[in-house]
Amino acid sequence: MTSDITPRIAPAPPTLDQMLRLNAQRSGDTLALIDAPDRPLWADGAPRRLSWNQVDAAVSAVAGRFFEMGLPSEALVCVQGLNLTDTLIALLGCIRAGLVAVIVPVDFTPAEIVTVAERLNAKAILAARRLGDVQPLRPLRHLVDESIADIRFIGAFGADLPGGTVSFEDCIGYPRTGVITRLSRRDRPEESLAIMTIDRGPDGDFAVARNHRQWLAAASVLGDSLGLSRSSRLLCPMAPSGLAGLAGGLVSWLSAGCQLVLHQAFDATVFTVQLTMHGITHALLPDAVLRAGLADGLLDSRKLEKVAGLSRSPHVALVPDGAPCPVPHFAVLGEIGILPMHAMGDGGFGLDACVEDETGGGLPLIEARIEEDGFLALRGQQVPKVGFDIGEQEASYPLGPEGWVASAYPALRAQEPEERLHITGARYEAAMSGQDAARAYASGQAGDGAPEHHPLAGAA
């Protein structure tokens, strides 16, 4: 007996680099990427305003420089940078050169960066000369010279660089000798690693590997709710050093082909100026900033169509009412995944148990369930499957059967509606019963069991 049902094969999604090239071909001289006006307070150089063609040319120049430095295909490059055009260009330059960027949180010290580079066998480091008033480059240069023999070069954002350091400005200006295209070793380029992030647990830090398909899936959860289009103007104050900032900023921008306005967290005056100056239509904000912005009237711009809130502590987040525009809310569950949040009848909130792929791309974007031990587990297109240990102890995501990945968030199933799940406490806390969780939530005693990222590192 034969079946007349033809299996549906989802089309392969583009890589991040392919999306950049497409936007450059389609939108050319349209303004694409804008620095905040207070950039000189945080980093060297004047604020940049770049068209799609200018972004594409800068990425090719950086990729050409990487290529000429002799880095092998899929070599790892540690990148530490603020929420600036330079950082995004560096990440995309790595991808175009066939490399894998490991984005390092801004609050990592030079010693911590060296530890990451050593344990992951990175071949290059790209860091900032200064992060506001902090100038970490010289001690980083010294530590690398002392301990890492395999580092091919250190690049830096900024001016007045120490000897032996490759200037990022020179990389951008590096003459192109043709199109830089390094073919992936994989048959399907979208399955190759794109950008790795750092997650933090009680026993150490570990790198989380995502391919192009997984990054697109994470951005889709946000982009579908925001309704981004090519005419949108997106304001993002979260640094591209984690899942929230990268999926919400870099990848959402490339996917929609819209205008991305960057903001260094957080200055209310500069933020208000940007809303008006650039006619912002959409914004992605950390939960605390969103609540303060609503209270202070920062989000009263008539052009704002939607503002989204993201929380890394979903058990204490508030889904606000009375906003001047729709406010979807999302839980950022470590570096594992992003889930929509919804207000519940009891004053708390629930997470979607499943977010379908609206493009019909096979597996859901993300699914959630509660394991027998009382903790939330995730799987789906955006959920990474591989963790790389970079701590003194073994630290990685526990990988379960059928693709489920433990999140370390205690959770309970909501009584109504059944497709919602409750986060009942901080990550790495012990799972609680329903009554205990309700009492802790009501009394505001829920803590946070994992080390916090510095706000500049993109923590929501």
Side-chain angles (χ1 to χ4, degrees):
M1 179 176 179
T2 59
S3 172
D4 59 357
I5 299 177
T6 302
R8 184 180 62 188
I9 301 175
T15 66
L16 302 184
D17 186 58
Q18 288 169 343
M19 287 193 295
L20 172 58
R21 293 183 188 274
L22 177 61
N23 286 319
Q25 293 170 3
R26 185 171 55 189
S27 301
D29 295 327
T30 302
L31 191 60
L33 190 58
I34 304 172
D35 272 325
D38 62 344
R39 168 179 168 147
L41 294 177
W42 301 98
D44 296 342
R48 301 183 194 271
R49 295 169 55 90
L50 302 174
S51 68
W52 283 107
N53 278 338
Q54 289 173 320
V55 173
D56 185 59
V59 168
S60 281
V62 171
R65 185 61 166 155
F66 284 154
F67 190 80
E68 291 297 326
M69 295 299 293
L71 297 179
S73 178
E74 298 186 355
L76 303 188
V77 178
C78 290
V79 180
Q80 184 188 52
L82 294 168
N83 196 26
L84 304 171
T85 53
D86 304 47
T87 309
L88 302 192
I89 290 170
L91 296 176
L92 293 170
C94 287
I95 291 173
R96 184 163 292 181
L99 309 172
V100 178
V102 182
I103 189 73
V104 179
V106 175
D107 58 333
F108 266 36
T109 65
E112 288 175 309
I113 296 175
V114 169
T115 297
V116 171
E118 281 188 302
R119 296 187 69 88
L120 293 181
N121 193 28
K123 299 302 181 185
I125 296 175
L126 185 57
R129 182 187 74 87
R130 70 180 180 97
L131 306 170
D133 294 332
V134 180
Q135 299 193 23
L137 187 60
R138 291 186 185 277
L140 174 63
R141 171 84 254 184
H142 175 73
L143 285 170
V144 170
D145 290 342
E146 290 287 321
S147 61
I148 308 181
D150 290 338
I151 290 290
R152 301 289 181 87
F153 72 96
I154 293 182
F157 310 110
D160 300 324
L161 305 179
T165 304
V166 177
S167 166
F168 185 77
E169 291 291 335
D170 291 345
C171 289
I172 288 181
Y174 194 73
R176 286 193 291 173
T177 57
V179 176
I180 299 295
T181 302
R182 178 179 262 165
L183 297 178
S184 169
R185 295 175 182 175
R186 300 176 182 269
D187 294 333
R188 304 188 70 173
E190 74 278 2
E191 302 291 350
S192 61
L193 295 184
I195 302 172
M196 296 168 64
T197 59
I198 305 295
D199 206 347
R200 290 177 165 179
D203 296 326
D205 302 323
F206 52 99
V208 180
R210 264 191 175 81
N211 60 34
H212 296 265
R213 181 190 293 274
Q214 290 164 336
W215 278 114
L216 289 174
S220 293
V221 173
L222 300 170
D224 292 347
S225 294
L226 283 173
L228 295 174
S229 68
R230 288 170 61 186
S231 61
S232 300
R233 297 181 178 185
L234 174 64
L235 178 56
C236 182
M238 291 174 294
S241 56
L243 175 61
L246 285 167
L250 173 68
V251 186
S252 293
W253 164 62
L254 292 173
S255 299
C258 63
Q259 187 179 111
L260 178 61
V261 180
L262 305 176
H263 177 93
Q264 195 60 55
F266 187 80
D267 186 304
T269 301
V270 174
F271 184 83
T272 304
V273 168
Q274 288 178 295
L275 285 176
T276 304
M277 178 189 302
H278 302 295
I280 298 300
T281 60
H282 297 77
L284 278 166
L285 300 175
D287 178 69
V289 173
L290 174 61
R291 280 181 277 168
L294 289 172
D296 296 340
L298 294 180
L299 306 178
D300 292 339
S301 170
R302 295 180 181 179
K303 292 189 177 182
L304 270 177
E305 298 174 14
K306 272 192 178 180
V307 177
L310 296 98
S311 177
R312 285 191 180 273
S313 300
H315 59 294
V316 294
L318 298 175
V319 180
D321 295 321
C325 59
V327 184
H329 222 72
F330 301 88
V332 183
L333 303 171
E335 292 298 301
I336 306 177
I338 299 174
L339 272 174
M341 298 166 57
H342 303 274
M344 305 289 284
D346 60 2
F349 64 88
L351 306 181
D352 283 351
C354 183
V355 181
E356 296 289 347
D357 185 351
E358 295 183 1
T359 66
L363 292 174
L365 293 173
I366 191 166
E367 293 179 275
R369 76 175 186 185
I370 299 172
E371 305 281 63
E372 292 182 0
D373 60 4
F375 289 90
L376 191 73
L378 306 172
R379 73 175 179 183
Q381 292 186 52
Q382 67 162 289
V383 179
K385 302 299 190 298
V386 182
F388 294 83
D389 174 33
I390 57 171
E392 291 301 321
Q393 303 179 43
E394 185 67 25
S396 182
Y397 294 135
L399 304 179
E402 300 179 351
W404 290 99
V405 178
S407 73
Y409 282 93
L412 289 171
R413 182 169 294 279
Q415 294 183 352
E416 188 178 340
E418 292 185 356
E419 67 271 13
R420 299 277 189 261
L421 304 173
H422 275 295
I423 298 292
T424 60
R427 197 177 185 196
Y428 301 107
E429 282 186 344
M432 289 186 267
S433 67
Q435 291 181 341
D436 289 342
R439 282 195 293 267
Y441 182 87
S443 64
Q445 293 177 353
D448 199 342
E452 287 285 347
H453 277 292
H454 189 282
L456 291 180

